[in-house]
Amino acid sequence: MLLVVSTDVNQQSFNDSGTVTIKRQTAQRAPSSVTQMPESPPACVNLAKDLTARCRARALQLTDDEILSITQDLDSVIQNLCDYISKIPSSALGSNAYTGVAVKALSARGFLEDDMLTNTVKNMPNRRSFHDSNMPRLVEFLQGMYHESDEFGGQMFSSLPEVSEYIEPLYDALFCPLANEVMTDPVLTESGVTYERRAIEEYFNRFAGNSKTVICPVTKMPLQNRTLMSNSSLKSVIAEWKMRNEAMRIRIARTALSLSSMDAIVLEAIHELMSLVELRRKNREHMHKIGVTRFLARLLDNNNVQIRRSALELLCLLVEDEEGKDIIGKTKAIPRTIKLLSSNGTDERDAAISFLLELSKSPLLLEDIGSTAGSILILTTMKINDSDDPTAAQKAGEVLKNLEKCSKNIKYMAESGYLEPLQIHLVEGSEEMQMEMVSYLGELVQEQDLTIDISGDTSGVLIKMVHSCNTVARKAALDVLVQLSSHHPNSKTLVEAGVVPVMVEELFIRKVDDDPLSYKAMAAAVLANVVESGIDPDTTVVNKEGHVLTSKYSIYNFVHMLKCFMPDELNLSVIRVLLALTAHAKPLAALVSVVRENHRGHSVVELMSSRTEALGVAATRLLITLSAHMGHTIAERLCRTQGQPRRLVRSIIRAGRATVTERHAAAVTLLSRLPFRNVSLNLALVQEGAVPAILRGIEEMRSGAARTSRHAAPYLEGLVGTLVRLTVTLYNPDVLKAAMDHDFASVLTGLLTGAAGSGGEVQRLAAVGLENLSYHSIKLSRPPPEEEPRPKKMTILMRLKDARVHNHNSKSPPLNVCPVHRGVCSPSTTFCLLEAGAVEGLLVCLENDNPRVVDAALGALCTLVDDRVDVEKAVVALVEQGAARRVLAVLRQHRENRLWQRCFSVVEKLLVHGDDGCVREVTGDRMLPTALVSAFHRGDANAKQAAESILRRLHKMPDYSATYVSLEF
């Protein structure tokens, strides 16, 4: 291509007319004005030089026809040179030294322009290839640009713009003579020379206010007129050249991007493309068309951090239009960008969030961004941790704000713990939006256990939806309220929003036929969660009449809802409400009154056997709570409920075969908490085989076979308590027989020291049981048989018979005569504590820190010094095992009135019936006087009386019962 600028200037009519003819002529193979066109390269070169000299010498005098002729001749010369070069075989070149010449020649003919890309989009039309003319590809050309030994046309290229200028050269006519830059607004002066408007105006300004004539900077001709005429033809040519040049630069840079193994080329190509994007919007469209945008998305996986960051910055510019966003949406750029959000480099992270922010402006990409794994979680983390990178946090917030426009993203945000958008749309959105948000919350509740802190506005919307006639909306709102209320910090907000009256209305007012029972169950669950959270039930109003949760109205309705045919979920929630209310004195008294008056305890007893374990446990726990106030009533209803004692015994037996559950522990705890003196329940337990099951369970727990459960300790305590309850009703023959057959005394003695991990409750219960058994020892102990006097004369027959009887009796074990009970005793038949070896264990219990354990042990020991037994022998037995020292130690450690009374009772027996050593040990204790004085001063009536009795024996107080004789002198 040759650009020839022709100007026909008429000095006289310059202001009237002036034309500039700039033409681009395409070479024709038709004959020119040159008579004979040389074919050899030297001749073509000489002819071209001659034509060039003619143009320079007569530039202003040439006519249009002459210019056209010269242009055709030059075009023919170039055509012949290209034809000649194309015929040279590639093997004749030998090296790349002539590659530059070949590229120039092909560039002049337009071949190179047709094949600039090596990796084009598949749907683009086929282009001509360099291989057709045995010329190197552009890729090889660009590779040689960065190789030290490769030169093109005798010069080295250091940048891609130089390559584009080499292929698409700049002509002198495009440059301003003053600014030496490519013109953007060319104008003609009076001299016929074209300048850049800004440059020539600055030149004219130098002569402002000066009388000197303005001289043309190029022609040195004086300018009489400073009028400037726009050279529109040249301007259009320059604009076209710029577009062609920029297109060429884009194609070269795109080709360079394919050389991804050479980081330097890729980086320079990205920077070149970035500068072109900022120049013209058309360049962005061209890059989309030739695949630059799609190729950049692949570079986000590059190992070079600079390439990744530069690619992100360029993509951020390319996706400002919808076409770029559409292209990116079809690539893997979004997940790759999400991955780069966690980059350690601040610059790369900022570039990634900026690119993602630009993508989030497209509605078509919102769902793709939100559904990408980890995107919402990373963005919310960036937004929350704003102190680490405030800029990134701000942009992350903007991205999340854009993502909210897609409702599915709001759900993804909620799953990632970012619930603010969901709550905002739930409160401020349309009715359809509110339904969608509630459904999302319902799904989240079912899928995972969310901890949600809600606002009062959100609570109000949900409560309002419960009143809605839309069944789906009501169910969804109730589901969400159940979950929200389970997070106790929300309870105050829900109560202030008015959730309690609405839920009470769902339970008490709405009929069964109006709505499914599941709605009532959910309403009861909400109430249970709210009440369990610790709110004040005495001030929580439930209806317009002013009733509160603790009023008898509420308790009555709750109790009457407990029915076996109601859903288990509903019964469970109602029992949870009642259990939570029983923590307060007023509702507990109301509950006891309602249960007694209306005989509703049967329903609770029946619910103990529910197949739903949670309901069975809750019902049992409610009965345990009520047992302290109406234990006999519950025990009688247990016995009257068909099969209930048997089911309780079976639960004990089943517990021995499997891991101890909360239900097993609750069942035996209830049996141990009910009044011990209820004969009906004790007989029912014995008849149903509870004793062997209890003993087997105790043995398994003591051996450690079933201690893996967290319910093992209360289960063992319940078993021991159930066993002890039978010792209270030994006056019943069946219970007494069971106690003898299973040797209760030995079992309880073993528990005094064998359950140290139970917190002392097992030892206390064992001591209480031994005390109950020991009270019956004096009655059960039988006197030894008296020896009959031997007759003076015995016949032989009588002697043989006597010898046979003597031999027979010698085989039986000798009878043990108990010195305390004055008869034959054994652990199984008379429950004697001495024979069972329980004294030592009871004395060890005196060292326990728990005063209840100490009190029970003292109670059992006091049965050995009762007035019905041989106290002197009992004191001897106790002193031999160190009872005095341990009893006195109790006085040092504890200050309870009951313990004082029992300790003083034992001490007094030791002082009265003990030997001199025992008396010295007791009276020599330095703590005893202090304890006696303290008890006498601050003890109750029983403790004070016991202390006074000992003080009197120690002669510390006068004996008012002594008889004085009056002597007169």
Side-chain angles (χ1 to χ4, degrees):
M1 182 185 71
L2 179 64
L3 180 64
V4 179
V5 181
S6 176
T7 308
D8 186 11
V9 183
N10 189 347
Q11 297 292 338
Q12 290 78 12
S13 60
F14 177 78
N15 294 328
D16 299 331
S17 64
T19 59
V20 178
T21 305
I22 301 174
K23 298 181 179 179
R24 180 192 302 171
Q25 301 292 344
T26 305
Q28 302 292 333
R29 302 192 73 88
S32 63
S33 60
V34 182
T35 57
Q36 184 178 1
M37 183 62 64
E39 294 183 359
S40 63
C44 292
V45 172
N46 292 333
L47 181 57
K49 288 181 178 181
D50 180 62
L51 294 172
T52 303
R54 290 170 56 190
C55 290
R56 288 177 180 174
R58 303 175 55 194
L60 297 178
Q61 290 80 19
L62 291 175
T63 63
D64 292 343
D65 294 336
E66 289 176 335
I67 292 175
L68 178 59
S69 177
I70 293 173
T71 302
Q72 292 176 349
D73 291 341
L74 283 173
D75 194 20
S76 299
V77 169
I78 294 172
Q79 183 69 42
N80 289 333
L81 281 173
C82 291
D83 291 342
Y84 181 82
I85 293 173
S86 63
K87 294 177 182 179
I88 300 175
S90 59
S91 59
L93 295 176
S95 66
N96 291 334
Y98 301 98
T99 306
V101 178
V103 172
K104 276 190 175 182
L106 294 178
S107 173
R109 293 199 59 184
F111 291 106
L112 189 59
E113 182 180 346
D114 291 337
D115 191 15
M116 278 294 170
L117 299 176
T118 59
N119 298 318
T120 58
V121 184
K122 294 182 179 180
N123 58 0
M124 294 181 64
N126 294 329
R127 304 290 184 91
R128 294 177 59 183
S129 172
F130 280 135
H131 293 293
D132 297 339
S133 57
N134 295 323
M135 294 303 294
R137 286 182 171 273
L138 179 59
V139 172
E140 299 171 359
F141 179 72
L142 293 173
Q143 287 176 335
M145 182 186 72
Y146 284 87
H147 200 281
E148 294 181 358
S149 62
D150 290 337
E151 294 185 0
F152 303 94
Q155 68 179 52
M156 285 291 296
F157 298 102
S158 60
S159 64
L160 293 177
E162 292 184 8
V163 177
S164 63
E165 292 179 6
Y166 181 75
I167 298 174
E168 189 71 29
L170 286 167
Y171 298 99
D172 294 340
L174 308 181
F175 283 85
C176 173
L178 289 177
N180 198 25
E181 295 177 354
V182 178
M183 293 178 285
T184 58
D185 188 9
V187 292
L188 280 169
T189 61
E190 185 182 6
S191 62
V193 181
T194 301
Y195 299 94
E196 175 65 29
R197 183 183 294 275
R198 175 184 54 80
I200 193 62
E201 286 179 350
E202 290 178 357
Y203 178 78
F204 287 163
N205 290 336
R206 296 178 187 176
F207 295 91
N210 195 340
S211 59
K212 292 183 179 181
T213 304
V214 180
I215 299 174
C216 178
V218 176
T219 62
K220 305 304 180 181
M221 296 172 54
L223 299 177
Q224 303 298 328
N225 193 342
R226 298 185 184 184
T227 303
L228 300 176
M229 180 182 293
S230 178
N231 194 340
S232 57
S233 300
L234 182 57
K235 184 176 182 180
S236 62
V237 171
I238 292 173
E240 183 181 353
W241 178 87
K242 284 185 177 181
M243 293 182 63
R244 288 174 56 84
N245 178 265
E246 291 171 8
M248 180 65 66
R249 290 168 63 185
I250 292 173
R251 289 195 291 271
I252 292 174
R254 171 60 178 84
T255 305
L257 285 178
S258 64
L259 306 176
S260 57
S261 60
M262 302 177 66
D263 293 347
I265 296 179
V266 175
L267 280 172
E268 185 173 356
I270 293 175
H271 294 157
E272 174 75 357
L273 291 169
M274 195 176 302
S275 63
L276 292 171
V277 169
E278 296 173 349
L279 280 177
R280 198 186 310 276
R281 181 181 180 87
K282 191 72 175 179
N283 293 337
R284 183 187 305 159
E285 298 173 358
H286 188 51
M287 292 180 193
H288 295 331
K289 183 178 180 181
I290 67 174
V292 171
T293 307
R294 186 180 297 274
F295 191 85
L296 286 171
R298 295 197 308 222
L299 293 180
L300 299 182
D301 281 337
N302 197 282
N303 294 328
N304 191 315
V305 63
Q306 294 182 353
I307 291 179
R308 295 198 304 267
R309 186 189 65 191
S310 300
L312 284 169
E313 293 174 353
L314 178 55
L315 281 172
C316 192
L317 298 175
L318 289 175
V319 297
E320 290 180 356
D321 58 359
E322 288 300 323
E323 184 181 359
K325 291 182 176 67
D326 182 63
I327 294 174
I328 287 298
K330 298 176 182 178
T331 65
K332 296 181 180 180
I334 292 178
R336 292 167 181 167
T337 305
I338 298 299
K339 182 179 179 181
L340 296 179
L341 290 177
S342 302
S343 174
N344 294 327
T346 304
D347 295 339
E348 185 177 17
R349 189 169 58 247
D350 289 345
I353 190 63
S354 298
F355 175 53
L356 197 64
L357 176 59
E358 190 63 37
L359 291 178
S360 66
K361 297 177 182 178
S362 173
L364 300 177
L365 299 180
L366 294 178
E367 186 173 352
D368 293 338
I369 296 174
S371 61
T372 302
S375 60
I376 301 295
L377 184 60
I378 295 175
L379 288 170
T380 53
T381 304
M382 292 177 67
K383 182 180 184 297
I384 295 172
N385 300 329
D386 53 354
S387 59
D388 298 339
D389 191 345
T391 303
Q394 179 184 358
K395 292 182 179 179
E398 294 177 8
V399 174
L400 290 172
K401 193 66 178 177
N402 292 335
L403 294 179
E404 291 179 19
K405 299 174 183 176
C406 177
S407 58
K408 288 187 179 180
N409 290 336
I410 298 177
K411 178 184 178 183
Y412 300 147
M413 294 177 192
E415 291 175 347
S416 300
Y418 184 44
L419 295 165
E420 182 179 352
L422 189 146
Q423 295 192 39
I424 292 175
H425 285 77
L426 180 60
V427 175
E428 301 177 358
S430 61
E431 184 177 353
E432 183 180 357
M433 176 64 70
Q434 289 178 346
M435 278 294 302
E436 191 171 8
M437 294 300 102
V438 171
S439 65
Y440 285 160
L441 270 179
E443 293 177 10
L444 292 174
V445 167
Q446 295 177 359
E447 293 174 359
Q448 55 182 312
D449 187 12
L450 284 178
T451 300
I452 305 173
D453 296 317
I454 60 168
S455 62
D457 295 336
T458 305
S459 303
V461 172
L462 293 172
I463 295 172
K464 184 179 179 181
M465 294 180 70
V466 174
H467 282 289
S468 173
C469 297
N470 188 335
T471 306
V472 178
R474 294 187 63 228
K475 183 180 184 304
L478 285 170
D479 281 335
V480 174
L481 286 173
V482 170
Q483 181 62 26
L484 294 178
S485 60
S486 64
H487 183 45
H488 289 171
N490 290 328
S491 297
K492 183 178 179 181
T493 305
L494 290 171
V495 171
E496 292 176 352
V499 71
V500 173
V502 175
M503 297 302 108
V504 169
E505 180 183 351
E506 287 288 325
L507 281 175
F508 299 163
I509 306 302
R510 288 183 181 268
K511 301 299 182 182
V512 177
D513 298 335
D514 294 343
D515 292 304
L517 289 176
S518 60
Y519 289 7
K520 292 184 177 294
M522 288 186 285
V526 173
L527 276 178
N529 292 335
V530 170
V531 176
E532 289 175 349
S533 66
I535 64 169
D536 185 6
D538 293 327
T539 59
T540 306
V541 181
V542 299
N543 56 19
K544 297 179 181 180
E545 287 73 20
H547 292 113
V548 295
L549 279 172
T550 56
S551 63
K552 195 170 183 179
Y553 163 81
S554 302
I555 301 298
Y556 179 87
N557 282 281
F558 283 131
V559 172
H560 272 261
M561 292 197 70
L562 294 174
K563 297 180 179 64
C564 295
F565 58 83
M566 298 293 278
D568 288 349
E569 294 81 4
L570 177 58
N571 285 326
L572 174 59
S573 297
V574 172
I575 291 178
R576 286 174 56 200
V577 173
L578 293 174
L579 278 172
L581 292 177
T582 54
H584 304 269
K586 182 179 177 181
L588 177 59
L591 177 61
V592 172
S593 175
V594 171
V595 173
R596 279 178 175 170
E597 291 174 2
N598 298 278
H599 304 287
R600 304 304 301 176
H602 291 291
S603 298
V604 183
V605 171
E606 292 176 357
L607 291 176
M608 286 178 56
S609 305
S610 173
R611 294 182 179 180
T612 304
E613 182 170 356
L615 177 57
V617 171
T620 306
R621 288 178 56 199
L622 181 60
L623 292 175
I624 292 172
T625 303
L626 297 176
S627 62
H629 306 274
M630 47 181 301
H632 285 287
T633 302
I634 296 174
E636 292 300 327
R637 290 175 182 175
L638 279 174
C639 296
R640 293 176 184 177
T641 302
Q642 185 176 5
Q644 189 61 50
R646 183 179 305 171
R647 284 191 287 269
L648 289 173
V649 173
R650 287 180 179 177
S651 67
I652 299 173
I653 299 173
R654 188 180 298 112
R657 302 176 183 175
T659 304
V660 178
T661 64
E662 186 180 5
R663 191 166 192 170
H664 299 143
V668 293
T669 300
L670 175 62
L671 292 176
S672 66
R673 296 287 180 85
L674 292 175
F676 285 2
R677 297 187 180 277
N678 191 284
V679 182
S680 300
L681 180 59
N682 291 351
L683 280 176
L685 292 176
V686 171
Q687 293 171 1
E688 295 296 339
V691 176
I694 293 171
L695 296 177
R696 185 163 51 251
I698 292 175
E699 183 62 27
E700 291 175 353
M701 296 300 297
R702 292 184 63 190
S703 63
R707 289 188 180 182
T708 57
S709 172
R710 63 187 180 90
H711 304 291
Y715 176 68
L716 177 59
E717 294 174 5
L719 289 175
V720 177
T722 305
L723 187 68
V724 171
R725 71 173 294 113
L726 299 178
T727 64
V728 178
T729 56
L730 291 176
Y731 53 83
N732 184 277
D734 293 337
V735 178
L736 179 61
K737 184 177 184 303
M740 290 180 175
D741 292 344
H742 296 91
D743 196 0
F744 276 18
S746 298
V747 174
L748 295 175
T749 300
L751 292 173
L752 289 175
T753 56
S758 62
E761 182 63 17
V762 172
Q763 289 93 327
R764 187 192 73 81
L765 290 171
V768 171
L770 289 173
E771 180 184 0
N772 296 334
L773 293 174
S774 182
Y775 274 122
H776 292 271
S777 296
I778 189 66
K779 299 178 181 179
L780 297 176
S781 179
R782 54 187 178 86
E786 297 181 359
E787 295 183 1
E788 297 180 359
R790 184 183 298 269
K792 296 181 179 180
K793 293 183 179 180
M794 297 182 63
T795 61
I796 297 176
L797 183 61
M798 293 177 63
R799 291 180 179 178
L800 290 174
K801 184 178 179 181
D802 182 68
R804 191 182 302 112
V805 172
H806 179 74
N807 293 335
H808 177 74
N809 292 336
S810 63
K811 295 180 182 180
S812 61
L815 298 176
N816 295 324
V817 178
C818 177
V820 176
H821 299 112
R822 306 184 188 95
V824 179
C825 290
S826 68
S828 59
T829 59
T830 65
F831 315 122
C832 179
L833 299 184
L834 293 177
E835 295 296 332
V839 175
E840 182 179 1
L842 292 171
L843 292 176
V844 172
C845 289
L846 296 181
E847 300 175 356
N848 199 294
D849 295 332
N850 190 341
R852 300 180 70 234
V853 177
V854 177
D855 179 65
L858 284 172
L861 291 173
C862 286
T863 60
L864 296 176
V865 292
D866 188 81
D867 293 338
R868 298 178 302 166
V869 301
D870 192 336
V871 180
E872 186 175 350
K873 298 291 181 63
V875 168
V876 172
L878 291 175
V879 171
E880 288 178 354
Q881 300 191 42
R885 173 177 54 82
R886 292 181 176 177
V887 171
L888 292 173
V890 173
L891 290 175
R892 295 189 188 95
Q893 185 176 359
H894 299 281
R895 294 290 184 272
E896 288 78 8
N897 287 315
R898 185 174 177 85
L899 292 181
W900 272 342
Q901 178 189 354
R902 289 192 168 182
C903 284
F904 292 154
S905 177
V906 176
V907 169
E908 185 176 10
K909 300 293 183 182
L910 294 177
L911 289 175
V912 175
H913 301 284
D915 56 10
D916 294 340
C918 176
V919 173
R920 284 194 301 270
E921 182 179 4
V922 173
T923 57
D925 188 81
R926 299 176 59 184
M927 185 61 191
L928 179 61
T930 304
L932 291 171
V933 172
S934 298
F936 188 78
H937 287 166
R938 293 183 293 274
D940 59 9
N942 294 330
K944 185 176 181 178
Q945 182 179 359
E948 182 181 356
S949 179
I950 296 177
L951 287 171
R952 190 178 299 113
R953 289 192 177 279
L954 296 176
H955 304 291
K956 302 293 182 179
M957 290 189 66
D959 189 357
Y960 298 105
S961 62
T963 303
Y964 295 95
V965 179
S966 178
L967 298 178
E968 294 183 0
F969 297 97

